[in-house]
Amino acid sequence: MANVSHRSDITSHPDVSEMRARYDRVLGGRDVVLVDGPVFLLGLYCAVSPWILHYTTSQPALVPHNLIVGVAIGLLALGFTAAPERMYGLSWAMCALGVWMIIAPWVVGDSPDAGVVVNNIIIGALALVLGLLCAGASARGGSRGSRTASM
């Protein structure tokens, strides 16, 4: 067996530029890889929040609403992970879902109490912020991709 421990770093490897290019292709130029997990967890919490906060009887219209919106946010997160180059354009949809979650207690609900309102405002604000982060990364990635393609 050959002793290759004399190499202390990879910068002298003959294929270092190819490995870096492959790594960039795999990541798709994404700067916010760590946003996908929190987006999924936010969608999961949104889907189960009516049962966690026990407003299934006081706000029955918001139960399927939060379930459907939570599943939609979770599916967006899975899409961001599975096909980021195609799905990050939909990050604006997540921003729209965030704004909708903020106003939904008054539109869908019937005289919501403070707990329901605060819960949906927090979920909506987080969805809006995470959507803006994804949209910003998408815009930066798109401009970087067009710069490298034109070179």
Side-chain angles (χ1 to χ4, degrees), residues 35-122:
V35 172
D36 300 344
V39 170
F40 182 76
L41 291 175
L42 180 69
L44 182 66
Y45 174 74
C46 180
V48 299
S49 65
W51 293 277
I52 291 174
L53 298 178
H54 303 291
Y55 61 85
T56 55
T57 55
S58 66
Q59 295 295 322
L62 280 174
V63 174
H65 170 270
N66 279 21
L67 179 65
I68 291 168
V69 172
V71 168
I73 292 172
L75 288 174
L76 281 173
L78 290 175
F80 293 159
T81 303
E85 62 280 348
R86 287 185 269 173
M87 289 294 293
Y88 267 94
L90 287 177
S91 53
W92 292 109
M94 197 165 80
C95 294
L97 284 173
V99 171
W100 173 249
M101 282 300 292
I102 291 171
I103 63 172
W106 297 282
V107 175
V108 178
D110 182 35
S111 301
D113 62 349
V116 173
V117 171
V118 168
N119 180 58
N120 275 27
I121 287 175
I122 290 172

Side-chain angles (χ1 to χ4, degrees), residues 28-31 134-148:
R30 294 176 35 195
D31 293 333
C134 292
S138 158
R140 281 192 310 270
S143 64
R144 178 182 20 224
S146 63
R147 267 195 318 240
T148 57

